[in-house]
Amino acid sequence: MPRIFETAEGLRLVAARSDPAWRAWGPYLSDRQWGTVREDYSAGGEAWAYFPHDHARSRAYRWGEDGLGGFGDRHLHWCLSLALWNGRDPILKERLFGLTNDEGNHGEDVKELYYYLDGTPTHSFIRMVYKYPQAAFPYGRLVEENRRRGLDEPEFELLDTGLFDDGRYFDVEIAYAKAAPDDILMRVSATNRGPEPATITLLPQIWARNLWSWQPGATKPRLCLDRAGAVLATHPDVADLRLHAEAAAGWLFTENETNLHRLYGVGPAEGLFKDGIDRHVVGGEAGTVDGRAGTKGAARYDLHLAPGETRTIRLRLRPAGEASDPFADFDDIFAAREGEADAFYAALQASVADPEMRLVQRQALAGMLWSKQLYHYDVREWLAGDPGQPAPPEQRRGGRNSDWTHLRANDIVSMPDAWEYPWFASWDLALQAIVFATIDPDFAKGQLLLLVGDAYSHPNAAMPAYEWGFGDANPPLHAMAAWRVFELDRALTGEVDHAFLKQVFHRLTLNFTWWVNRKDADDRNLFQGGFLGLDNIGIFDRSKALGGGATLTQSDATAWMAMYALDLMRIAIELALEDPTYEDMAGKFFEHFLLIAAASGDGVWDQEDGFFYDVIETAGARLPIRVRTMVGLIPILAVAVLREADVERLPGLKARLVFFQRQRPDLWRLVSHWNEPGVGRSALLSLLRGHRLKALLRRMLDPAEFLSDHGVRAVSRAYAEAPFCFPWEGRDLGLAYEPAESRSRLFGGNSNWRGPVWMPVNYLLIASLHRFHDYFGPEFRVEAPTGSGQMRSLREIADDLSRRLIALSTRGADGRRAVYGDSPMEQDDPHFRDHVLFYEYYHGDTGRGVGASHQTGWSGLVALLIQEVAGAGDAVRTPGPP
């Protein structure tokens, strides 16, 4: 078992349970605050257009902050980040640039090269690298070329511009280490990778988040240069700090306030505004900065670097009363924290022998750690607007999220991707929590409790889905995640946290009831739910009504609810073994599952095809949509195993089972019983008994359909040559297998569900195969791959799928990483090839990364798969029943 809690970082995690000081500072700035719903005060909810990238340098944010390699305190009272200038760009590089949903030929897309390389859970040490061209950054060209390209063309990427040829770029490494919880060391190293000398200006920045503009009478923070050349930072809500910048050429100060004249043509043209440092450094304007004080400041370093030369600058932010030399122990502290990070991961990876797996796992976890951010959003205040500011358009009061006025978020939250999706999504967060549980179980538990708490959960018990539409429905994965996190926490710490399990269980029972009451249109235990995260997976937008009184009964919605019932039953059994009052709840969810299982047999299962389908239902008619997609494989996920020994300890639950056996034999037949083949006197609860399971696996493991060398595809490859066609209301609706970027804008621009491999559902399939194996044991074997003649156990199949997914990122025998496709620089260049990106999806045939490029919030699950297949055993392997 990993002994991470015996390391220095592990001991900090233990101490943080009673004193969270070591968590007070971290990479809590967003990668993108502009273009978000929170900053959108438009009438029509056009967030991208209302606050574009061009405004970001000149306009103060209302709800958060962003920055390049940003680091800040829990509330972003003070923020650190880095600005760069290569002498050619029209603006400072202060934040990451990317395309909006309308600009990209496949939707929103960050157009930068940056890699999150390392980090510890308390952020005692954290490191990333940003690659900055020496020529002018091609802002206009990236927009114009991608806008010109159609859906059937690849995206135009930064590497495609040729600016990185011959190494004509700077590698800029940004790292932070903590000497103490409030003593922050910042180290920036710039390396000239090009063949000629080149100049770069580094501008490490400190600023106060603007709260005073929105709160009349608020005391304004202040940055002031002292006599020793350091900057004193005073804030009404935190103790005084002092920032030391070693050997800086000087300091530039301005105010973190909106330049109204530049943006709107009103107000004074001169003065100190958020863009003052940019205008001074790039434009040479006078009067835009102050030499002594402000609310935003930057130390200036102009570096002339020979080919291959590296220069490092050092800064330290610490309590103002400290009088010792700030740089005397600087390098020793950094070395100590890096060594502690190495020791922490050595303990975690004790069973991971493959150096490639260790590298990928550590970078996946680093990406997740860097993707934490302050998520601040009070919907009621947002709708009403702020005193002293222009009143928002009246139309907003009935627009986006207007029925979620109770939501008041102000927390550090794990983001799916801090640029492309810098907001939580409920099922993403559930999956992220499972990965975090391998290194920081307390943070993982806290994340799961957020969305079910009063500040987030709707009074009707709905959980918010995601920022663009809190009222939408994501797959209900919180119960599954809570159980997994509970198990991982118990395995890692040796402690049994029933208090957490009870707290989350009570809330989830309410949410389950919301699903039953709101998403089962005809009270038949068959569910709708909307697009359920699987956008663009079908022939039409599943989140919109069909019209004409028709409803869409969904295979996946029904399966998610069956899975939800089983996971809540599993939690109730665990709690009932300690507290018998939970036995009734275990029986309740057992019954719910049976009712859903019985309904699904006639409702969404197609006996002739041996597959699950969505069904259009109108008055007196049922019309299955016989297209083979991931929608039909989701029922595999609804599986649990009951141990007879546990049932014998729970007389109330046992009586409930006996009732069903005697009084409802029609439902009892859905359970594989103790006296049927199984391991260790157990009973199988599943939407799939032997025949249906084998039928689905036959499709899933067929290379001509779902099985790729890189995992399970989202759509059957059978539709590559013969696209599916479905007549509906006088139109022929089609769906083709598209292994990479989707050619349909059915549901947004970046909807790539028509063929690629997607890590989360693959992970859930693997977890379910392990649970089936817990019941059937090694003697239950199926042909895998289909047509190969090889018979394998379900655990062997699960492990094979895990290895295929891991191989997306690890370097193969040919020295190449599938994720980078045919990109020669990313495959071969020594300064690129060991920096790994974790994409939203992966090409269904080649494994090339597709969609968002920093989606560790989803594809970070590879870290957990590595831990499982590397021989870590039951401590991290997806567990069976309680």
Side-chain angles (χ1 to χ4, degrees):
M1 181 174 67
R3 305 306 302 174
I4 59 174
F5 293 103
E6 296 177 359
T7 67
E9 175 65 12
L11 293 173
R12 280 192 284 268
L13 289 172
V14 173
R17 293 175 177 175
S18 56
D19 180 4
W22 275 95
R23 298 185 185 272
W25 285 76
Y28 301 149
L29 285 71
S30 178
D31 283 348
R32 175 176 62 84
Q33 186 70 12
W34 58 274
T36 60
V37 169
R38 304 186 294 289
E39 301 295 340
D40 176 21
Y41 284 77
S42 67
E46 299 296 329
W48 287 109
Y50 179 77
F51 203 138
H53 177 269
D54 183 58
H55 284 200
R57 67 183 181 276
S58 304
R59 188 164 158 185
Y61 294 124
R62 170 62 177 88
W63 296 99
E65 290 289 349
D66 60 17
L68 185 62
F71 205 80
D73 67 78
R74 159 72 178 75
H75 295 285
L76 302 186
H77 293 122
W78 292 114
C79 306
L80 299 169
S81 76
L82 181 67
L84 305 168
W85 191 49
N86 57 16
R88 296 178 173 85
D89 280 355
I91 59 174
L92 289 182
K93 177 61 68 176
E94 294 181 272
R95 57 188 51 81
L96 298 169
F97 171 75
L99 306 183
T100 70
N101 193 40
D102 290 335
E103 291 171 338
N105 61 324
H106 295 289
E108 66 268 22
D109 187 21
V110 66
K111 296 297 183 184
E112 303 273 14
L113 292 170
Y114 59 107
Y115 305 87
Y116 297 127
L117 301 180
D118 210 354
T120 57
T122 66
H123 314 299
S124 59
F125 173 72
I126 198 161
R127 180 170 66 97
M128 66 166 288
V129 67
Y130 174 77
K131 293 181 179 288
Y132 187 38
Q134 294 174 0
F137 195 90
Y139 293 102
R141 187 181 175 195
L142 288 167
V143 173
E144 292 162 8
E145 179 62 21
N146 280 284
R147 184 178 282 160
R148 182 192 65 79
R149 295 189 178 194
L151 288 173
D152 58 344
E153 296 179 274
E155 296 163 7
F156 184 65
E157 304 291 3
L158 188 55
L159 282 176
D160 297 329
T161 64
L163 294 184
F164 288 79
D165 294 352
D166 303 319
R168 296 182 185 277
Y169 67 91
F170 300 101
D171 261 340
V172 182
E173 183 183 277
I174 306 166
Y176 298 91
K178 296 181 186 178
D182 57 354
D183 189 343
I184 313 301
L185 284 61
M186 180 181 186
R187 184 183 70 194
V188 180
S189 299
T191 302
N192 177 8
R193 296 295 183 199
E196 299 169 356
T199 298
I200 184 172
T201 297
L202 307 183
L203 294 150
Q205 299 181 333
I206 181 172
W207 72 96
R209 179 182 167 203
N210 187 331
L211 297 176
W212 57 91
S213 292
W214 332 112
Q215 300 172 1
T219 303
K220 197 172 180 179
R222 205 70 184 147
L223 297 168
C224 296
L225 193 65
D226 67 16
R227 293 180 180 179
V231 174
L232 178 65
T234 58
H235 196 291
D237 297 319
V238 295
D240 292 353
L241 299 169
R242 185 169 272 109
L243 178 62
H244 306 265
E246 185 182 42
W251 278 92
L252 307 170
F253 294 96
T254 189
E255 300 293 340
N256 184 20
E257 296 180 358
T258 299
N259 185 341
L260 294 171
H261 184 82
R262 175 186 176 255
L263 297 179
Y264 311 112
V266 299
E270 298 180 356
L272 303 181
F273 305 111
K274 183 179 177 180
D275 56 13
I277 297 170
D278 173 273
R279 294 164 64 196
H280 174 82
V281 173
V282 177
E285 294 185 46
T288 66
V289 296
D290 186 276
R292 301 296 304 179
T295 50
K296 177 181 178 181
R300 181 164 184 167
Y301 296 83
D302 296 305
L303 307 181
H304 188 71
L305 302 177
E309 182 183 3
T310 299
R311 294 271 297 278
T312 298
I313 65 172
R314 306 189 300 178
L315 299 95
R316 187 167 185 171
L317 179 68
R318 63 181 185 176
E322 294 287 343
S324 60
D325 181 349
F327 301 106
D329 58 353
F330 187 99
D331 292 340
D332 290 340
I333 293 169
F334 248 104
R337 295 296 177 262
E338 288 186 77
E340 289 165 1
D342 289 341
F344 180 81
Y345 285 105
L348 177 72
Q349 299 176 329
S351 62
V352 184
D354 184 346
E356 271 293 306
M357 287 190 183
R358 292 201 299 270
L359 178 145
V360 168
Q361 185 186 50
R362 190 159 173 174
Q363 289 189 27
L365 293 169
M368 298 193 73
L369 290 165
W370 272 99
S371 294
K372 293 181 184 179
Q373 73 176 59
L374 171 66
Y375 188 80
H376 185 199
Y377 186 22
D378 186 311
V379 175
R380 185 170 176 272
E381 286 188 18
W382 175 73
L383 289 170
D386 296 300
Q389 298 294 318
E394 190 64 28
Q395 299 96 305
R396 296 177 74 253
R397 292 185 177 273
R400 175 178 288 128
N401 296 332
S402 59
D403 54 347
W404 285 76
T405 54
H406 70 285
L407 192 143
R408 54 193 190 283
N410 191 15
D411 301 280
I412 302 302
V413 184
S414 171
M415 300 293 118
D417 176 326
W419 191 94
E420 192 129 6
Y421 305 106
W423 28 261
F424 69 83
S426 65
W427 74 316
D428 306 59
L429 192 60
L431 293 163
Q432 293 156 37
I434 300 172
V435 181
F436 270 115
T438 65
I439 56 171
D440 191 352
D442 291 331
F443 180 76
K445 289 183 284 187
Q447 294 293 285
L448 290 176
L449 290 171
L450 274 182
L451 298 196
V452 299
D454 290 336
Y456 291 78
S457 185
H458 198 282
N460 66 17
M463 273 192 282
Y466 47 85
E467 186 177 81
W468 286 82
F470 286 138
D472 215 325
N474 270 186
L477 295 187
H478 260 58
M480 178 277 300
W483 175 253
R484 282 293 286 123
V485 168
F486 170 79
E487 283 287 288
L488 287 165
D489 181 39
R490 178 160 59 183
L492 287 172
T493 66
E495 300 173 5
V496 181
D497 193 351
H498 281 152
F500 157 73
L501 209 55
K502 289 178 180 180
Q503 188 176 359
V504 74
F505 177 76
H506 292 160
R507 290 289 189 163
L508 289 177
T509 58
L510 299 175
N511 179 253
F512 182 88
T513 302
W514 176 85
W515 272 89
V516 169
N517 291 337
R518 297 297 183 96
K519 298 299 182 180
D520 179 7
D522 299 315
D523 296 321
R524 296 183 299 128
N525 295 296
L526 295 171
F527 293 85
Q528 294 76 49
F531 85 104
L532 288 174
L534 306 182
D535 47 318
N536 223 5
I537 194 71
I539 58 175
F540 45 71
D541 187 342
R542 302 195 308 161
S543 65
K544 295 180 180 177
L546 293 177
T551 59
L552 183 69
T553 294
Q554 293 173 251
S555 165
D556 53 333
T558 302
W560 290 125
M561 286 302 292
M563 177 184 177
Y564 200 175
L566 289 177
D567 288 323
L568 287 173
M569 180 198 73
R570 182 185 309 182
I571 293 173
I573 290 174
E574 169 68 28
L575 296 174
L577 292 172
E578 177 193 55
D579 182 349
T581 59
Y582 286 89
E583 284 191 56
D584 283 347
M585 297 303 290
K588 164 188 167 63
F589 289 113
F590 173 79
E591 180 177 356
H592 265 296
F593 166 75
L594 290 184
L595 294 172
I596 296 170
S600 69
D602 296 326
V604 289
W605 171 253
D606 190 292
Q607 183 63 32
E608 182 179 349
D609 288 1
F611 207 75
F612 287 91
Y613 297 124
D614 285 354
V615 178
I616 296 175
E617 303 197 57
T618 59
R622 298 181 68 257
L623 189 61
I625 305 174
R626 289 189 170 91
V627 57
R628 295 190 298 280
T629 73
M630 184 60 68
V631 165
L633 297 180
I634 297 297
I636 295 174
L637 309 184
V639 55
V641 182
L642 279 176
R643 304 290 187 209
E644 185 180 33
D646 291 331
V647 174
E648 290 295 331
R649 294 173 58 191
L650 302 173
L653 177 61
K654 184 177 180 180
R656 194 73 167 264
L657 300 185
V658 171
F659 167 83
F660 278 101
Q661 182 179 9
R662 295 175 178 173
Q663 304 298 324
R664 292 297 305 271
D666 56 321
L667 297 179
W668 189 247
R669 285 197 300 270
L670 300 172
V671 181
S672 296
H673 312 307
W674 322 117
N675 56 351
E676 296 178 359
V679 175
R681 299 287 292 173
S682 58
L684 179 70
L685 303 180
S686 169
L687 295 183
L688 315 169
R689 297 187 69 183
H691 165 69
R692 290 185 185 178
L693 177 61
K694 289 182 178 179
L696 283 189
L697 291 180
R698 191 177 305 116
R699 301 271 196 191
M700 190 182 90
L701 300 175
D702 187 346
E705 293 219 33
F706 288 100
L707 184 63
S708 160
D709 289 343
H710 313 286
V712 178
R713 303 177 176 107
V715 171
S716 171
R717 202 181 189 284
Y719 302 122
E721 288 74 32
F724 175 80
C725 186
F726 185 82
W728 178 249
E729 295 185 335
R731 296 177 296 156
D732 287 332
L733 303 179
L735 184 148
Y737 169 74
E738 299 171 8
E741 295 85 355
S742 173
R743 290 174 290 176
S744 170
R745 285 189 179 270
L746 181 65
F747 194 101
N750 191 12
S751 299
N752 305 310
W753 266 96
R754 299 199 161 200
V757 171
W758 189 54
M759 188 75 71
V761 288
N762 271 262
Y763 167 77
L764 293 171
L765 288 169
I766 290 167
S768 296
L769 290 176
H770 281 305
R771 286 196 288 274
F772 276 114
H773 180 86
D774 286 340
Y775 176 77
F776 287 117
E779 302 306 317
F780 184 93
R781 308 178 78 79
V782 299
E783 188 180 32
T786 301
S788 68
Q790 302 177 58
M791 304 301 290
R792 295 181 175 179
S793 72
L794 297 182
R795 172 162 287 183
E796 290 170 336
I797 293 170
D799 288 345
D800 176 70
L801 288 176
S802 294
R803 292 187 180 94
R804 292 176 189 235
L805 294 165
I806 293 167
L808 289 164
S809 302
T810 54
R811 191 181 297 135
D814 60 358
R816 298 169 64 82
R817 302 184 194 277
V819 61
Y820 287 139
D822 294 326
S823 172
M825 184 167 288
E826 291 170 297
Q827 293 287 14
D828 303 324
D829 189 293
H831 305 300
F832 277 83
R833 65 197 305 257
D834 288 331
H835 297 339
V836 183
L837 293 177
F838 302 89
Y839 278 80
E840 186 175 5
Y841 311 91
Y842 296 87
H843 192 291
D845 295 335
T846 69
R848 173 177 63 84
V850 182
S853 57
H854 290 72
Q855 195 84 356
T856 46
W858 291 348
S859 294
L861 284 161
V862 70
L864 189 55
L865 294 176
I866 286 171
Q867 202 73 3
E868 290 181 352
V869 304
D874 293 335
V876 294
R877 185 178 295 282
T878 301

